Amino acid sequence: MNILVCISQVPDTTTKITFSENNTKFNENGVQFIINPYDEYALTRAIEIKEKLGGKVTVINVGKSSTEPNLRKALAIGADEAIRVDAEPADAYYVAFQVAQHAKGFDMILCGKESIDHNGGLVPSMIGELLGIPSINVAVKLDIEGNTAIMEHELDGGKEIIECPMPFVAGCQKPICEPRIPNMRGIMTAKNKPLLKKEPVSVETLTHVTEFLLPKPKESCRMIIPDEAEKLIDILQNEVKVI
Amino acid sequence: MSILVYAENTDGFFKKSTLESLTYAVDLSKKGNESVTALCTGNISAENLKTLGEYGTSKVLYCKDERLNSKPVVPLVNLLEKAAIEEKSSVIIFSHTSTGAGIAPRLAVKLKAGVASNVISLPDSAEEFSVIRGVYSGKGFSRLKLTGPVKILTIKGNSHEVKKSPVDCSIVDFNPSLDSNDFSVKVKELVKTSGKVSLKEADVVVSGGRGMKGPENWQIIEELAGLLKAATSCSKPVADMGWRPHSEHVGQTGITVGPNLYIAIGISGAIQHLAGVNSSKTIVVINKDPEAPFFKAADFGIVGDAFEVVPRLIKALKERKN
Ligand SMILES: Cc1cc2nc3c(=O)[nH]c(=O)nc-3n(C[C@H](O)[C@H](O)[C@H](O)COP(=O)(O)OP(=O)(O)OC[C@H]3O[C@@H](n4cnc5c(N)ncnc54)[C@H](O)[C@@H]3O)c2cc1C
Ligand SMILES: Nc1ncnc2c1ncn2[C@@H]1O[C@H](COP(=O)(O)O)[C@@H](O)[C@H]1O
């Protein structure tokens, strides 16, 4: 199995988000960047499949050199090779287009179901369309049987078990696997694994962030004493009118 | 020019999320003086098709092809492409459901359209097509400007209130030929979590955390949810320990919800949990620790033991029902 895993780097989940330059930029000051948690599922599942069936796992990222530590981490977890397309990821289409340039010849392309910074959930399906192959936007289970993949596709009111020919793209979500942390041997061998830098191709983008906004701060919380818990029902019904 | 809506149905019925998208389209059409066309597929009764007119759809393109019942992505993308070209659609709208979210990005590539997912606002104007959407898992929002002649949006559930606006509605059969090669993904089995309110669509969500101590205690959560016609959800560790299914896990790495009312029981309110629920309109927190961070994000709070407070709420609700 020849597997490509798309990795984006995102602010650590504990990050308190702030914006700078008149609310047009994400403030990176003091922010620690991690591999997008969903992409860790994709990566670990790819490595598990490789360990079972043989093959190779390549990770790809569209980003500037600051993403290299996280690509090394992916190599330490068990990927064999990394590709970094040296560009600022302008939007989902831009990313998908760059990835598609390097995605031919793989049996499957695994992504996260969405990045926890942009929350677009767009890149995997776009790669599928660019390559003309099936895309499963949320896969919670993935197994290979011969020449087909058996996946569980998450739906709003349940899930469906599907059979999909290769190659395909899937956006991974728990409980597809348990993510792994790198061990000492992994960290040592990662140093000598290839991390290739590629130049981007030019693409026109059709979406532009013009401003960021923060949620309105909550007014202070109104406390109800437990012995009068019934009051809550009264308030919700007659005052706030939500039940 | 028209606004095209993919009017998704579930077993022949249009759910709230579809009606929200239609209402969004109608509100948008008023800005640019356009008409609203809906595309729907699969087995839908004539009576149900007509309900689309009550929500402002002047034309329904109906494709009955049974192969579309399971909502296969690639054939639907191709069908929507044909509809968009025929209707000269400038904006195409989906609900941000699993299906909508899977089709919209592919269609955007096909039609060379700008796409925004999980949109929560109407564009500022028809000329300046900027919409607001959630970023950083609910910790912030961005205003995203779409350029190009065609725009595609997926609308976040519960973000646009459903309104009726009856119009004359014509139902037109729409059966372009679909390539059988596009049906390469086969559905082997469909597993429905039936009978329950869907989490993403629910007006009220009752959520339990590690403070519930064990899966056997979920009965009171379920009962409270039942009385409130609410969906149930949980924190990440609860799903990780297998107390509840993963599909109920809300938060930064789970499902993002924005109901009218979110009731958090025995959940501490970690930043990753809050990220997935802080767009809820009203938040109630029940926690025995007065220092629990969740109270800072709550509208109403009860400091108390869940096993005493929740039964009291259940009792009060039952008395009210009688
Ligand atoms: C990368 C990453 C991603 C994450 N993503 C998510 C996510 O998407 N969603 C998520 O939820 N978490 C997520 N987490 C985990 C998060 O950091 C917290 O650990 C988690 O939310 C805590 O769950 P909890 O509140 O149920 O449990 P706890 O933190 O253990 O809190 C239990 C609460 O119950 C209260 N309690 C105990 N007994 C009672 C009682 N009898 N009555 C009333 N109250 C009681 C306690 O006072 C306490 O506040 C993530 C963590 C990481 C590192
Ligand atoms: N800059 C990037 N480089 C490589 N892969 C990416 C990048 N951004 C997003 N992806 C992949 O696409 C998935 C969905 O991202 P998004 O569409 O931004 O929600 C992520 O989980 C990654 O697998």
Side-chain angles (χ1 to χ4, degrees), chain A residues 117 154 159 161 208 218 227, chain B residues 98 136 188 191 299 312:
Chain A
D117 51 357
E154 195 176 74
K159 59 191 174 191
I161 297 163
H208 309 271
K218 278 266 175 196
D227 286 343
Chain B
S98 180
Y136 299 101
K188 295 178 66 184
V191 188
D299 299 283
R312 277 186 97 111

Side-chain angles (χ1 to χ4, degrees), chain A:
Chain A
M1 283 304 129
N2 200 0
I3 309 174
L4 183 66
V5 181
C6 300
I7 302 273
S8 63
Q9 101 166 5
V10 297
D12 179 85
T13 56
T14 55
T15 308
K16 227 177 150 232
I17 303 295
T18 55
F19 302 111
S20 60
E21 294 180 34
N22 225 348
N23 287 332
T24 56
K25 289 249 153 27
F26 171 70
N27 184 2
E28 294 190 3
N29 241 334
V31 172
Q32 198 193 335
F33 285 89
I34 57 167
I35 298 177
N36 183 33
Y38 297 115
D39 304 355
E40 279 195 38
Y41 297 130
L43 174 62
T44 307
R45 190 66 194 129
I47 294 165
E48 288 172 356
I49 292 171
K50 179 193 92 168
E51 284 169 353
K52 195 163 158 216
L53 303 170
K56 183 176 167 187
V57 174
T58 305
V59 293
I60 185 166
N61 165 260
V62 180
K64 300 303 273 183
S65 57
S66 63
T67 68
E68 290 200 355
N70 275 321
L71 286 174
R72 283 278 170 225
K73 185 180 171 199
L75 294 170
I77 292 170
D80 300 291
E81 189 177 297
I83 299 171
R84 181 174 66 82
V85 179
D86 185 29
E88 204 62 66
D91 72 358
Y93 182 67
Y94 184 89
V95 170
F97 202 90
Q98 304 304 332
V99 171
Q101 307 304 311
H102 303 278
K104 303 202 174 81
F106 287 93
D107 297 303
M108 67 185 101
I109 301 160
L110 301 185
C111 298
K113 78 150 193 178
E114 68 180 38
S115 55
I116 65 164
D117 51 357
H118 299 296
N119 302 112
L122 300 169
V123 171
S125 304
M126 285 180 163
I127 296 172
E129 186 63 33
L130 287 165
L131 297 175
I133 59 176
S135 55
I136 288 77
N137 57 341
V138 188
V140 292
K141 201 161 180 248
L142 163 63
D143 287 298
I144 306 298
E145 282 178 19
N147 281 326
T148 50
I150 310 293
M151 280 178 269
E152 269 182 33
H153 175 210
E154 195 176 74
L155 300 174
D156 296 309
K159 59 191 174 191
E160 59 188 12
I161 297 163
I162 57 167
E163 201 179 272
C164 180
M166 288 190 262
F168 64 88
V169 196
C172 300
Q173 157 71 318
K174 218 176 55 166
I176 199 160
C177 63
E178 273 307 316
R180 290 185 192 177
I181 43 171
N183 58 28
M184 210 48 213
R185 200 175 142 261
I187 294 166
M188 296 314 288
T189 53
K191 293 199 174 109
N192 300 318
K193 288 179 179 173
L195 196 168
L196 314 169
K197 178 177 142 189
K198 303 275 182 181
E199 289 307 316
V201 289
S202 77
V203 208
E204 195 200 345
T205 57
L206 298 169
T207 68
H208 309 271
V209 173
T210 55
E211 186 192 6
F212 287 107
L213 308 121
L214 286 172
K216 286 196 200 79
K218 278 266 175 196
E219 284 171 28
S220 66
C221 176
R222 220 163 108 190
M223 299 310 271
I224 294 155
I225 58 168
D227 286 343
E228 294 175 0
E230 308 61 37
K231 270 203 181 147
L232 177 68
I233 304 294
D234 203 50
I235 295 171
L236 295 176
Q237 201 163 35
N238 303 319
E239 212 177 293
V240 208
K241 300 193 169 61
V242 283
I243 58 172

Side-chain angles (χ1 to χ4, degrees), chain B residues 11-24:
Chain B
D11 305 323
F13 291 89
F14 299 107
K15 289 207 287 189
K16 189 174 112 192
S17 54
T18 302
L19 305 181
E20 283 173 345
S21 292
L22 285 172
T23 311
Y24 184 100

Side-chain angles (χ1 to χ4, degrees), chain A residues 12-14 34 37-38 116, chain B residues 208-213 234-238 240 249-255 265-274 276 286-290 292-294 302 304-308:
Chain A
D12 179 85
T13 56
T14 55
I34 57 167
Y38 297 115
I116 65 164
Chain B
R210 198 144 58 179
M212 290 306 296
K213 308 277 190 296
C234 66
S235 66
K236 180 173 184 283
V238 165
D240 287 347
H249 154 200
V250 295
Q252 188 154 14
T253 51
I255 289 173
I265 304 169
I267 305 177
S268 57
I271 188 165
Q272 298 98 342
H273 186 87
L274 295 181
I286 300 166
N287 195 306
K288 70 173 185 191
D289 174 10
F294 219 144
I302 301 182
D305 188 332
F307 300 101
E308 286 161 22

